[in-house]
Amino acid sequence: MTQGFRAPAQPATARGFRHPGRVISGAFLTAVLIGTALLSLPLATPGPERAPFLTALFHATSAVCVTGLVTVDTGTYWSGFGQGVILALIQVGGLGIMTLATLVALLLSRRLGLRARLIAQAETKSLSGSDVRRVIGRVVLFSLACEAVAAAVLTTRFALGYDEPLPDALYSGVFHAVSAFNNAGFGLRPDNLMGWVGDPWVSLTIAAAVIIGGLGFPVVFELLRSWRRPRTWTVLTRITVVVTAVLLVVGTVGYLLAEWRNPRTLGPLSAVDSVMAAFVAGTMPRTAGFNNLDISALQPETLFLTDALMFIGGGSAGTAGGIKVTTFGLLAYVLWAELRGDVDVEVGRRRVPPTNQRQALAVALLSIGVIAVATFLMEAMTDFSFEQVLFETISAFSTVGLSTGITPALPPGAQLLVVLLMFVGRIGPLTLASGLALRDRARRYQLPEERTIVG
């Protein structure tokens, strides 16, 4: 009797990497390992000694995950080669490993397979898989254009306003522009942006790059197409724009009210400079990581506000981290619908499906759980206050990069915990969980319904 044809079994590696989430996680991990190896070379430091493995790993992860937390000063500890590696890792991490990989595949083969298309769709958060090629091209071109504009403004300001030689001004302008647009927060000065707190050309240019990079590519493209027709905006764009605007106002007003009389932050500044500094400071937790004010000198209420802003983060498919403004905004709409007794959750003239609501809830709860466990562990490892430890864990998980100054003093175990937090925060709890899952299971039946008491 003739047996039917049986397809050869795929290797375990191929089966394990069929899911886009797994491929993205693996790609980011590969970038971290490559960056660690490069930063461990003697060429990466100006002195004859190599950087310790943990230092190289920490900074490679922070760069790839566009976080900005550092244990050593970027401008003095690393050589030109080391700073170039960090800058390249920031660019790769910001655009997304799979976006770059898919673009290279397009240039070489001029065609996309279904698997590559799905991977690119998962990384760019494109809602349609049919135009992934066009989306990737726009992402890269738009990113480079924004970085070029910001670099031109910063270079001109550094050269003319601070009498820096043109090569130094150009290097500093490009470095800060790439770091700002990718929401990385790496700077070349020990005080980060504090020396430019009253300079609108530097502060507002970096803030603008942070906001644009943090909106997310799908939102930016839609705004460019139909910014005059808000009624035609998708749910993603509507929630992102509204929540972003609200959080920018809340951050600015919160910093002004809490720090207006603080002699170590806004107190010595003029009224105009205080408003500008508060706006920039309120923007950075979204999740850029630049600091124009001394974080360790902030009032407790300001630190709490910053915790909340860091946790929320920026837009989906952008360079920002956190649970994302779409998650936060969608949960707010869910709460509003529940309070009103509405069966459906509606945003504008659209109904949000229950799957999106569950995803938002899962992301928020997973994030809270990760931060809670990490805070507990770090409290056990260090002698720092709960306020400082919570700030550090939220900043790492949300890939922000702000710190009260305790990062260099963390013991090795706590630094490794921060590395893990940055990686998990960049990939995303939901993406990481789906990447580790063996397969999606579809249930062909439903159990009887039974209501329970809530609250």
Side-chain angles (χ1 to χ4, degrees), residues 66 93-95 123-125 181-183 212-218 314-321 324 426:
V66 290
L95 287 176
E123 174 59 26
T124 60
K125 305 296 190 300
F181 180 79
N182 291 288
N183 279 221
I212 295 174
L215 281 176
F217 302 120
S316 298
T319 54
K324 304 300 172 57
R426 179 62 178 101

Side-chain angles (χ1 to χ4, degrees), residues 1 24 36 259 307 376 412 435:
M1 182 176 179
I24 294 170
T36 302
E259 302 295 327
D307 285 339
F376 173 82

Side-chain angles (χ1 to χ4, degrees), residues 211 243-253 278-279 282-283 286 309:
I211 294 172
V243 177
T244 297
V246 170
L247 293 180
L248 287 175
V249 173
V250 169
T252 303
V253 174
F279 170 75
T283 300
R286 312 287 324 290
L309 294 175

Side-chain angles (χ1 to χ4, degrees), residues 89-402:
L89 293 176
I90 291 172
Q91 186 72 83
V92 169
L95 287 176
I97 296 293
M98 285 302 99
T99 304
L100 293 177
T102 306
L103 179 63
V104 171
L106 282 173
L107 294 176
L108 293 178
S109 63
R110 299 287 183 177
R111 60 194 298 268
L112 263 181
L114 178 59
R115 182 175 302 176
R117 188 182 296 268
L118 290 175
I119 292 172
Q121 181 179 347
E123 174 59 26
T124 60
K125 305 296 190 300
S126 172
L127 299 181
S128 173
S130 61
D131 57 351
V132 174
R133 299 186 188 185
R134 184 158 46 92
V135 168
I136 294 176
R138 287 182 176 182
V139 165
V140 175
L141 291 177
F142 181 78
S143 301
L144 296 179
C146 289
E147 292 170 356
V149 172
V153 174
L154 294 175
T155 300
T156 303
R157 181 56 178 169
F158 293 151
L160 300 181
Y162 296 93
D163 296 325
E164 293 186 11
L166 185 58
D168 295 343
L170 178 61
Y171 177 72
S172 182
V174 170
F175 190 98
H176 285 90
V178 173
S179 183
F181 180 79
N182 291 288
N183 279 221
F186 280 87
L188 296 176
R189 298 175 55 156
D191 61 354
N192 210 266
L193 301 185
M194 292 174 59
W196 298 310
V197 65
D199 190 329
W201 289 100
V202 177
S203 297
L204 295 182
T205 298
I206 290 179
V210 167
I211 294 172
I212 295 174
L215 281 176
F217 302 120
V219 174
V220 170
F221 292 156
E222 184 169 2
L223 290 177
L224 291 176
R225 289 194 309 266
S226 57
W227 63 275
R228 294 183 178 180
R229 303 186 299 276
R231 291 189 175 184
T232 65
W233 291 354
T234 60
V235 172
L236 172 65
T237 299
R238 189 182 298 269
I239 293 179
T240 302
V241 171
V242 171
V243 177
T244 297
V246 170
L247 293 180
L248 287 175
V249 173
V250 169
T252 303
V253 174
Y255 267 81
L256 277 175
L257 293 178
E259 302 295 327
W260 182 264
R261 298 182 182 275
N262 189 341
R264 299 175 60 189
T265 54
L266 297 182
L269 302 178
S270 65
V272 175
D273 287 347
S274 293
V275 173
M276 180 182 66
F279 170 75
V280 174
T283 300
M284 294 311 163
R286 312 287 324 290
T287 53
F290 290 105
N291 65 287
N292 62 336
L293 302 175
D294 186 1
I295 302 299
S296 63
L298 295 178
Q299 302 286 358
E301 56 269 30
T302 313
L303 289 176
F304 178 75
L305 172 65
T306 307
D307 285 339
L309 294 175
M310 291 192 300
F311 180 74
I312 296 172
S316 298
T319 54
I323 65 170
K324 304 300 172 57
V325 294
T326 46
T327 302
F328 177 77
L330 183 55
L331 290 176
Y333 276 103
V334 171
L335 178 60
W336 178 245
E338 190 65 26
L339 292 176
R340 293 179 42 146
D342 295 336
V343 176
D344 297 324
V345 176
E346 299 177 350
V347 180
R349 299 184 178 182
R350 294 292 186 270
R351 178 172 55 87
V352 180
T355 52
N356 278 156
Q357 302 172 38
R358 292 197 301 269
Q359 289 171 356
L361 183 61
V363 168
L365 291 180
L366 279 173
S367 301
I368 293 173
V370 170
I371 291 173
V373 172
T375 302
F376 173 82
L377 295 176
M378 194 172 294
E379 273 283 298
M381 296 178 186
T382 67
D383 296 326
F384 297 109
S385 67
F386 173 77
E387 191 175 64
Q388 292 174 309
V389 170
L390 179 63
F391 191 96
E392 193 82 4
T393 55
I394 294 177
S395 179
F397 178 79
S398 300
T399 66
V400 179
L402 294 175

Side-chain angles (χ1 to χ4, degrees), residues 1-8:
M1 182 176 179
T2 305
Q3 294 182 349
F5 174 77
R6 177 177 296 179

